[in-house]
């Protein structure tokens, strides 16, 4: 299967431009999963810029 990196990058909102995993969603998800986190695309652009990728932060933002 061909890597979809270029297509993925068009939909990636991560502002951490120097990350070697940017556009490589399989690596990105695995990395954050191992840290108990979610990738940038789970957060809106303002929340993403905090670099807080924790599940707790995600739940706080999405609770009523
Ligand atoms: S969400 Fe995390 S792993 Fe994915 S590109 Fe951004 S900084 Fe890298």
């Amino acid at each position: 299967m061909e890597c979809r990196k270029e297509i993925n990058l068009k939909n990636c909102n991560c502002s951490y431009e120097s990350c070697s995993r940017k556009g490589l969603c399989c690596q990105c998800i695995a990395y954050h999963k191992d840290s108990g986190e979610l990738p940038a695309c789970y957060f809106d652009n303002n929340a993403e810029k905090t670099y807080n990728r924790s599940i707790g932060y995600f739940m706080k933002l999405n609770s009523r």
Side-chain angles (χ1 to χ4, degrees):
M1 182 179 186
E2 198 171 314
C3 183
R4 295 169 47 95
K5 181 176 180 179
E6 294 309 314
I7 296 169
N8 293 342
L9 283 173
K10 291 178 184 167
N11 298 313
C12 179
N13 71 335
C14 183
S15 61
Y16 195 75
E17 297 296 336
S18 62
C19 179
S20 61
R21 300 174 197 88
K22 193 166 167 61
L24 300 173
C25 301
C26 50
Q27 293 182 17
C28 176
I29 290 168
Y31 173 78
H32 285 291
K33 181 173 180 270
D34 284 350
S35 304
E37 298 174 343
L38 295 165
C41 52
Y42 275 75
F43 301 89
D44 66 29
N45 291 343
N46 285 333
E48 181 282 321
K49 287 184 179 71
T50 68
Y51 297 138
N52 183 350
R53 311 272 194 247
S54 69
I55 292 171
Y57 184 48
F58 174 83
M59 291 178 69
K60 180 181 171 188
L61 294 173
N62 290 283
S63 64
R64 290 181 176 231

